[in-house]
Amino acid sequence: MKFITAFSVVGVILLSIAGSLCQLDVCGRAPLSVGIVGGNNATAGAWPWQVRIRVHKYLCGGTLINKDWVLSAAKCFKDSSNVSDPDTVMFFGRLNQSGSNPHEIIRTAKRIIRHSNYNDQLHNNDIALVQLNSSVTFSDYIKPVCLAAAGSVFSADTESWVTGWGTLQSEGEWTFDTLQEVMMPIVSNSDCDKAYGGGITSNMICAGLLNQGGKDSCQGDEGGPMVSKKDSLWIQSGIVSFGVGCAEPEFPGVYTRVSQYQNWIESYMGSNPPGFVEFNSSNFRSAPNSLLFSLSLTFSIIPFTFYSLYLSS
């Protein structure tokens, strides 16, 4: 009985690893082309993981992380939690808000999961998962992003890109018709905390032009991705969360730090987790690949570890 149980556990682990490796085969691959304040129009297929989310009348961003799940911000789903919500509509493969989007497909929400410890006032744990009512099919215009694995390091000045259809200015009503993209450097948490007078935690990651402003995410971009490129892969470091105004000097944008939430995300996604990739200035490896190597060397021990993935508010 112990022998059978042990192999059952091994089987479950290997299925989980296989799912992660499968995502690593497709995640984070898209051409870089050259919204968001201070940015430029994106081109079709440039950011194939970008999702437009309509929650009743409220608009947000999101990120496709596998064929069945979207990652976004908890603040986008204040009236929905852990329930099916056909009024939450997600648009994949979209480039323009109006006119034709020949590569677009649409899904509704089968399940919405907000982080149970989300704090709207402190912007803490500003992360949510949305399970689709039916799977999407990957194409050149619809693909998942890779997620930053636990232990990832995004040092100050790391080149990062943010995408979305948000407003041009704080409290503005006019939004961009075409998906926007902008490059911003990471701002260290110590400098960001000083700018905000406290409240920036290790669960948050900041980006922007600290001394001059002019580039930022804005209203309507919440829940959307901030990504960085390492070799051939795009890796999501943050989720658009909050800030003071938009593109204001001295106040960088604040994002949920994805690498703090790996365990939380995997706990809901079962045998088909997203592709988690470790990012830092000197080392680049995928967490599932390193795990598989460990298993091949010490199969009887089964050294399987879940890392905690936390996104910043």
Side-chain angles (χ1 to χ4, degrees):
M1 175 64 89
K2 290 182 180 179
F3 182 78
I4 294 173
T5 301
F7 271 92
S8 297
V9 172
V10 171
V12 170
I13 292 172
L14 290 177
L15 283 173
S16 178
I17 295 170
S20 295
L21 290 175
C22 180
Q23 295 304 313
L24 286 171
D25 287 340
V26 295
C27 75
R29 290 168 168 83
L32 173 64
S33 56
V34 173
I36 302 289
V37 181
N40 302 288
N41 288 347
T43 57
W47 312 101
W49 40 81
Q50 179 75 45
V51 182
R52 187 55 156 170
I53 304 176
R54 188 180 70 224
V55 187
H56 304 282
K57 294 184 179 180
Y58 189 63
L59 296 175
C60 269
T63 315
L64 182 66
I65 57 176
N66 76 4
K67 63 184 179 64
D68 295 305
W69 291 88
V70 164
L71 186 67
S72 189
K75 61 168 51 74
C76 295
F77 306 97
K78 294 180 180 180
D79 299 324
S80 304
S81 182
N82 301 319
V83 296
S84 172
D85 186 358
D87 290 326
T88 294
V89 182
M90 288 156 287
F91 304 86
F92 303 85
R94 167 173 285 198
L95 179 64
N96 300 305
Q97 296 281 66
S98 62
S100 174
N101 284 288
H103 309 293
E104 181 177 272
I105 61 173
I106 301 172
R107 295 290 186 270
T108 59
K110 177 180 179 181
R111 185 184 184 193
I112 297 169
I113 303 167
R114 292 199 310 164
H115 197 287
S116 60
N117 293 324
Y118 168 59
N119 186 304
D120 189 40
Q121 293 183 334
L122 299 177
H123 309 286
N124 198 29
N125 298 308
D126 191 8
I127 179 174
L129 284 167
V130 184
Q131 186 176 17
L132 309 183
N133 67 322
S134 62
S135 301
V136 299
T137 300
F138 298 153
S139 70
D140 288 342
Y141 303 91
I142 301 171
K143 288 184 180 179
V145 73
C146 298
L147 299 181
S152 292
V153 177
F154 294 85
S155 57
D157 297 323
T158 298
E159 185 176 287
S160 302
W161 289 79
V162 182
T163 50
W165 289 272
T167 58
L168 177 62
Q169 59 188 17
S170 179
E171 306 303 328
E173 295 183 0
W174 185 76
T175 60
F176 289 96
D177 183 66
T178 301
L179 178 66
Q180 298 293 293
E181 58 187 21
V182 64
M183 192 280 284
M184 299 180 294
I186 295 294
V187 174
S188 72
N189 271 33
S190 58
D191 286 343
C192 192
D193 190 62
K194 186 182 299 183
Y196 279 88
I200 303 300
T201 73
S202 59
N203 298 317
M204 302 173 184
I205 184 170
C206 303
L209 301 177
L210 188 58
N211 296 319
Q212 65 196 73
K215 294 185 177 183
D216 200 0
S217 51
C218 206
Q219 278 81 32
D221 293 322
E222 297 97 330
M226 177 168 71
V227 298
S228 292
K229 194 174 187 181
K230 185 67 174 180
D231 298 330
S232 63
L233 297 182
W234 287 96
I235 301 165
Q236 184 174 356
S237 61
I239 299 172
V240 178
S241 182
F242 75 98
V244 173
C246 298
E248 297 289 338
E250 308 300 332
F251 289 103
V254 186
Y255 302 76
T256 305
R257 187 180 289 266
V258 173
S259 59
Q260 292 290 86
Y261 287 94
Q262 184 171 348
N263 185 49
W264 184 83
I265 290 174
E266 288 181 325
S267 69
Y268 288 103
M269 295 183 61
S271 61
N272 191 27
F276 285 98
V277 176
E278 186 176 316
F279 184 106
N280 61 52
S281 58
S282 61
N283 182 33
F284 180 67
R285 66 181 178 84
S286 65
N289 278 335
S290 64
L291 172 61
L292 185 62
F293 180 69
S294 237
L295 279 170
S296 68
L297 292 178
T298 55
F299 185 77
S300 61
I301 298 176
I302 315 175
F304 187 76
T305 303
F306 284 113
Y307 294 97
S308 173
L309 179 78
Y310 194 110
L311 298 174
S312 92
S313 305

